[in-house]
């Protein structure tokens, strides 16, 4: 038994892993001690673990995303340290493979996705004048399946071993013949578990936006961030079932011996690549389009102008969403599909530059003759435009099939997608977080520290990734764990940039702590002189969001209200507000799914089968749950609103 635990169950032999194990144990003990010492267990259960409030769920998504950004960032620093000098022995080749696999997977699926969904949870219901999402219970279940999926993936580096076949998990490398260990099972089950939550989120927000908008808010009067959330939800609904099926088939291959993708038994390894990228390329736009929505909101607010070309922005996002499903083959131009197929997908790939370019001109047009305020959210938006343009232009270069034979699998590609995803998504999420921070926590983030963090991040980002274009043109391949001497100067520069970039993130995190302690509390509810409905309600936002639902005349509903002196609080129209009850079942059900998934990872059917039965039992319990929530009485609404608006009874 001890031999199994020490030699197979736990990852041993690496000092870094021992350090990680010690850190996990100490952090867990510390958290348990703090919660126990300050008697916070009940508060934690009542306020967050059982919550169905979209705002609190959004905050939990964002906290989890920041934690995953730290994890993925540490992976990146270890990779850059290994590549700083020729023949470095900081990591061995196996460990390096594991780290670039977990870095890519964590950053895309467990950092970018939850960050975006977190902001959607915080802002979308408020922007459309809704009191919650359409399915609050499902929203909580979505978060907890994501959370336990992320935990399942993250425990792999100390229990059993991390996946090592890249974030694309290409077969046959990830198949049972070449990766017989259990580490790839973590990848499959963790993504499956969190993917269930993401698909449910897409359905939830689609229904929420289509069915719960305030009176008068037609589709073309929705705020642009809500439009981006709607289109993203549609992409999720069409794309994620493909991933679900692909993961299920590979799980059957690895655990039950089928041959869908295997080398043996007439399996089709190439089918995995097709299915993966049929989901994977729309996934890029799932994490980019909401950021476009954030930038549009921020630029309009801080330029103090109406968004230029609102309809063009909407149509551009729709076109991008459609094209995102017909470009996947550009990921394997060099795999011999033929000139005809390559030409078709080359054209569709480059076509995406057209609607994307339209959006950039819209943002520039919005700023033209605007009275721009250079607050931190606006700085992130301004930095996004040139950096994302570099990523877009190099994307067009990669979209040319003939040229791709030169760039393919080099560091040119690494630089390209980091310019797209960091400048596009991460800058967007930082802009969104600092923009909506007052709505979430009742105070702004400190401007001075925020600007220091911004400059460290942007400068470090460019020092890190700009040299990688040239390394790619010099022939440096991606996924190599050692470098040639002639690549050393640019790699050394890139590594230095990575540490500057990480410093920016550390300062950003410190700003959260500093602002919570020292920033003045927000009292107006309209921290940035905003234009859409989320700024119309008070801060902190009451759990029912709006005392009375406003009538909407344009996509800048709150701007209209401010011009006419209207508010969202009309005492004569108050009625009891129906709200959903908090539930413990989502976290319990997700924890049982985690247990079943962990059993499948290890082929422990004595654990997996009871877990699956437990999930079915939870579904039955939910089916017979006749709790229809409660009503907030008028007296409580009056009391809450008058306190928040600074009046006394």
């Amino acid at each position: 038994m001890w031999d199994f635990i020490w030699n197979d169950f736990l990852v041993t032999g690496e000092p870094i892993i021992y350090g990680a194990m010690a850190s996990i144990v100490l952090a867990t003990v510390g958290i348990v001690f703090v919660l126990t010492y300050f008697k916070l267990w009940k508060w934690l259960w009542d306020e967050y673990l059982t919550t169905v409030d979209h705002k609190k769920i959004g905050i939990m998504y964002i906290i989890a995303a920041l934690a995953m950004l730290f994890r993925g960032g540490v992976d990146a620093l270890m990779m850059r340290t290994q590549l700083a000098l020729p023949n470095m022995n900081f990591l061995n080749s196996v460990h390096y493979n594991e780290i670039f696999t977990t870095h890519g997977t964590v950053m895309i699926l467990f950092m970018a996705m939850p960050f975006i969904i977190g902001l959607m949870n915080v802002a979308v219901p408020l922007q459309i004048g809704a009191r919650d999402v359409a399915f609050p219970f499902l929203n909580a279940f979505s978060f907890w399946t994501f959370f336990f999926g992320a935990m399942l993936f993250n425990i792999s580096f100390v229990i059993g071993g991390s996946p090592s076949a890249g974030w694309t998990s290409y077969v046959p490398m990830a198949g049972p013949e070449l990766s017989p260990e259990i580490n790839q099972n973590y990848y499959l089950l963790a993504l499956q578990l969190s993917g269930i939550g993401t698909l449910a989120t897409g359905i939830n927000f689609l229904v929420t936006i289509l069915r719960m908008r305030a009176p008068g808010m037609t589709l073309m009067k929705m705020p642009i961030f809500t439009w981006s959330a709607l289109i993203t939800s549609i992409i999720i609904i069409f794309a994620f079932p493909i991933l679900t099926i692909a993961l299920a088939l590979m799980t059957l291959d690895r655990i039950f011996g089928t041959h869908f993708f295997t080398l043996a038994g007439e399996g089709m390894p190439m089918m995995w690549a097709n299915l993966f990228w049929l989901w994977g390329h729309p996934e890029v736009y799932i994490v980019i389009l909401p950021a476009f929505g954030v930038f549009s909101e921020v630029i309009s607010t801080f330029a103090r102008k109406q968004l230029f070309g609102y309809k063009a922005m909407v149509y551009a996002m729709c076109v991008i969403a459609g094209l995102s499903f017909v470009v996947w083959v550009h990921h394997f131009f060099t795999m011999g599909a033929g000139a005809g197929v390559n030409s078709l997908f080359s054209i569709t790939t480059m076509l995406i530059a057209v609607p994307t370019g339209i959006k950039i001109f819209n943002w520039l047009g919005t700023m033209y003759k605007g009275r721009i305020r250079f607050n931190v959210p606006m700085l992130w938006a301004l930095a996004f435009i040139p950096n994302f343009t570099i990523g877009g232009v190099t994307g067009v270069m990669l979209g040319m099939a003939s040229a791709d034979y030169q760039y393919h699998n080099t560091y040119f590609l690494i630089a390209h997608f980091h310019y797209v995803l960091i400048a596009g998504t991460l800058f967007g999420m930082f802009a969104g977080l600092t923009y909506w921070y007052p709505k979430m926590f009742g105070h702004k983030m400190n401007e001075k520290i925020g600007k220091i963090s911004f400059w460290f991040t942007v400068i470090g980002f460019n020092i890190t990734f700009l040299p990688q274009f040239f390394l790619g043109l010099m022939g440096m391949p991606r996924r190599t764990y050692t470098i040639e001497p002639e690549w050393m100067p640019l790699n050394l520069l890139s590594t230095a940039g990575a540490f500057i970039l990480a410093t920016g993130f550390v300062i950003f995190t410190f700003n959260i702590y500093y602002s919570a302690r020292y920033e003045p509390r927000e009292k107006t509810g309209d921290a940035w002189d905003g234009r859409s409905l989320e700024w119309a309600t008070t801060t902190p936002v009451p759990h029912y969001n709006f005392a009375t639902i406003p009538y909407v005349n344009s996509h800048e509903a709150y701007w209209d209200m401010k011009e006419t002196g209207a508010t969202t609080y009309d005492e004569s129209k108050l009625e009891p507000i129906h709200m959903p009850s908090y539930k413990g079942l989502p976290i319990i059900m997700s924890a049982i799914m985690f247990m079943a998934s962990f059993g499948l990872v290890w082929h422990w059917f004595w654990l997996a089968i009871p877990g699956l039965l437990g999930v079915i039992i939870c579904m039955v319990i939910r089916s017979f749950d006749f709790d229809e929530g409660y009503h907030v009485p008028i007296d409580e609404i009056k009391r809450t609103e008058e306190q928040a608006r600074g009046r006394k009874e």
Side-chain angles (χ1 to χ4, degrees):
M1 182 67 179
W2 176 249
D3 286 343
F4 167 76
I5 292 174
W6 188 249
N7 295 322
D8 298 311
F9 190 72
L10 295 176
V11 178
T12 55
E14 292 274 352
I16 294 175
I17 298 295
Y18 292 138
M21 287 178 177
S23 301
I24 291 170
V25 171
L26 290 174
T28 304
V29 170
I31 292 169
V32 170
F33 173 79
V34 169
L35 291 173
T36 306
Y37 184 80
F38 291 103
K39 299 178 180 176
L40 294 174
W41 286 106
K42 187 174 186 305
W43 167 83
L44 185 65
W45 177 262
D46 291 342
E47 295 295 323
Y48 282 92
L49 300 186
T50 59
T51 186
V52 295
D53 185 332
H54 68 93
K55 300 177 289 294
K56 291 180 179 176
I57 291 173
I59 290 170
M60 291 194 293
Y61 267 118
I62 291 169
I63 291 172
L66 289 173
M68 291 297 100
L69 180 59
F70 174 78
R71 159 74 204 273
V74 170
D75 285 346
L77 290 179
M78 288 196 288
M79 283 191 290
R80 286 310 322 162
T81 302
Q82 171 64 24
L83 296 176
L85 299 170
N87 301 316
M88 279 282 279
N89 290 313
F90 179 67
L91 301 171
N92 61 45
S93 59
V94 173
H95 200 177
Y96 185 84
N97 289 348
E98 293 174 349
I99 286 175
F100 78 66
T101 299
T102 55
H103 169 74
T105 309
V106 164
M107 286 301 202
I108 295 287
L109 289 155
F110 299 123
M111 189 284 288
M113 287 287 296
F115 215 141
I116 284 160
I117 293 173
L119 290 181
M120 285 166 58
N121 262 287
V122 168
V124 168
L126 294 173
Q127 284 198 331
I128 63 173
R131 293 203 164 103
D132 207 324
V133 295
F135 309 115
F137 181 95
L138 187 65
N139 199 25
F141 176 73
S142 298
F143 170 75
W144 288 113
T145 51
F146 146 72
F147 178 82
F148 282 106
M151 291 302 101
L152 185 66
F153 188 83
N154 277 279
I155 63 171
S156 65
F157 81 101
V158 291
I159 299 177
S162 297
S164 58
W167 88 279
T168 53
S169 200
Y170 279 147
V171 182
M173 193 185 304
E177 297 97 338
L178 300 184
S179 294
E181 304 84 6
I182 57 98
N183 51 5
Q184 285 304 127
N185 295 349
Y186 275 115
Y187 174 95
L188 297 170
L189 274 301
L191 265 60
Q192 192 72 280
L193 188 53
S194 62
I196 292 170
T198 305
L199 180 58
T201 296
I203 296 168
N204 209 344
F205 274 89
L206 178 70
V207 177
T208 300
I209 295 169
L210 292 182
R211 300 289 300 170
M212 298 180 68
R213 301 191 306 278
M217 185 181 279
T218 61
L219 288 177
M220 278 300 175
K221 290 177 183 172
M222 293 195 306
I224 201 72
F225 179 69
T226 298
W227 254 114
S228 72
L230 174 65
I231 296 170
T232 300
S233 300
I234 294 171
I235 301 176
I236 287 173
I237 290 168
F238 281 97
F240 264 77
I242 302 170
L243 178 68
T244 302
I245 295 297
L247 292 171
L249 296 180
M250 193 190 280
T251 303
L252 291 173
D253 278 1
R254 289 189 55 86
I255 298 178
F256 298 98
T258 57
H259 296 287
F260 291 103
F261 305 124
T262 57
L263 286 172
E266 299 184 356
M268 298 175 66
M270 192 61 203
M271 185 56 70
W272 167 264
N274 277 287
L275 290 174
F276 181 87
W277 285 113
L278 259 173
W279 159 81
H281 207 80
E283 167 69 13
V284 173
Y285 295 96
I286 289 171
V287 297
I288 284 286
L289 286 179
F292 287 175
V294 171
F295 291 129
S296 301
E297 298 282 356
V298 168
I299 288 172
S300 175
T301 299
F302 289 91
R304 297 185 239 201
K305 279 183 65 187
Q306 191 176 63
L307 186 65
F308 176 75
Y310 170 85
K311 289 186 178 178
M313 295 284 272
V314 172
Y315 295 139
M317 285 194 289
C318 293
V319 172
I320 290 172
L323 287 174
S324 72
F325 284 94
V326 290
V327 299
W328 83 95
V329 171
H330 72 221
H331 289 276
F332 29 88
F333 276 151
T334 60
M335 288 189 181
V341 172
N342 281 359
S343 298
L344 173 66
F345 284 92
S346 182
I347 291 168
T348 55
T349 300
M350 287 189 283
L351 275 178
I352 288 187
V354 177
T356 306
I358 289 172
K359 294 170 75 63
I360 288 176
F361 283 112
N362 284 135
W363 291 316
L364 295 176
T366 305
M367 286 186 283
Y368 180 65
K369 290 190 176 180
R371 291 172 295 127
I372 298 175
R373 291 174 292 167
F374 293 95
N375 294 92
V376 174
M378 187 63 172
L379 291 181
W380 289 113
L382 291 174
F384 149 77
I385 294 176
N387 287 297
F388 182 79
T389 302
I390 293 173
V393 169
T394 51
V396 174
M397 293 168 68
L398 286 158
M400 291 186 286
S402 54
D404 188 64
Y405 277 78
Q406 176 67 29
Y407 309 132
H408 187 71
N409 269 345
T410 69
Y411 256 71
F412 188 91
L413 176 64
I414 301 287
H416 154 70
F417 71 68
H418 279 90
Y419 264 90
V420 170
L421 290 176
I422 292 183
T425 302
L426 192 64
F427 286 11
M429 297 306 100
F430 281 176
L433 179 56
T434 48
Y435 180 60
W436 283 305
Y437 201 86
K439 275 292 156 194
M440 288 186 266
F441 299 105
H443 58 86
K444 292 181 181 176
M445 292 182 75
N446 182 271
E447 278 282 306
K448 186 175 180 181
I449 299 174
K451 288 177 179 175
I452 295 171
S453 163
F454 166 80
W455 285 113
F456 266 90
T457 304
V458 171
I459 292 171
F461 163 71
N462 279 285
I463 294 175
T464 304
F465 294 105
L466 199 59
Q468 293 181 8
F469 283 119
F470 301 99
L471 286 167
L473 294 175
M474 292 165 66
M476 180 174 163
R478 66 192 294 199
R479 296 168 180 155
T480 182
Y481 96 107
T482 187
I483 61 171
E484 300 295 332
E486 60 267 31
W487 300 331
M488 186 191 76
L490 288 177
N491 269 293
L492 201 56
L493 183 63
S494 182
T495 301
F499 280 90
I500 297 172
L501 177 59
T503 305
F505 173 65
V506 172
I507 297 171
F508 187 94
T509 309
F510 171 74
N511 197 6
I512 293 173
Y513 161 77
Y514 181 90
S515 302
R517 291 204 62 178
Y518 301 111
E519 279 299 294
R521 303 300 101 171
E522 173 61 34
K523 295 178 181 175
T524 65
D526 185 15
W528 306 110
D529 194 16
R531 309 177 80 88
S532 44
L533 273 181
E534 72 269 34
W535 304 106
T537 188
T538 57
T539 298
V541 183
H543 61 289
Y544 49 78
N545 289 353
F546 298 94
T548 50
I549 303 297
Y551 188 86
V552 174
N553 294 307
S554 75
H555 66 269
E556 295 193 320
Y558 186 45
W559 196 256
D560 295 343
M561 292 173 68
K562 283 193 282 191
E563 289 189 336
T564 59
T567 74
T568 57
Y569 180 54
D570 185 345
E571 193 171 326
S572 64
K573 295 181 180 176
L574 285 181
E575 294 177 353
I577 297 173
H578 177 256
M579 296 299 295
S581 303
Y582 283 15
K583 297 287 181 183
L585 195 58
I587 184 174
I588 295 170
M589 189 170 171
S590 302
I592 294 172
M593 294 172 77
F594 171 87
M595 183 181 75
S597 301
F598 187 74
L600 280 175
V601 166
W602 285 89
H603 301 198
W604 292 347
F605 297 105
W606 57 265
L607 182 63
I609 292 172
L612 293 172
L613 289 174
V615 173
I616 294 170
I617 292 169
C618 287
M619 294 170 73
V620 172
I621 292 171
R622 174 60 181 164
S623 299
F624 288 93
D625 181 0
F626 298 109
D627 180 5
E628 296 181 351
Y630 65 99
H631 284 84
V632 183
I634 292 176
D635 287 346
E636 183 181 332
I637 301 169
K638 279 185 183 178
R639 205 163 43 245
T640 304
E641 292 294 319
E642 288 170 0
Q643 285 176 355
R645 292 168 193 273
R647 298 202 300 264
K648 294 182 179 178
E649 289 179 319

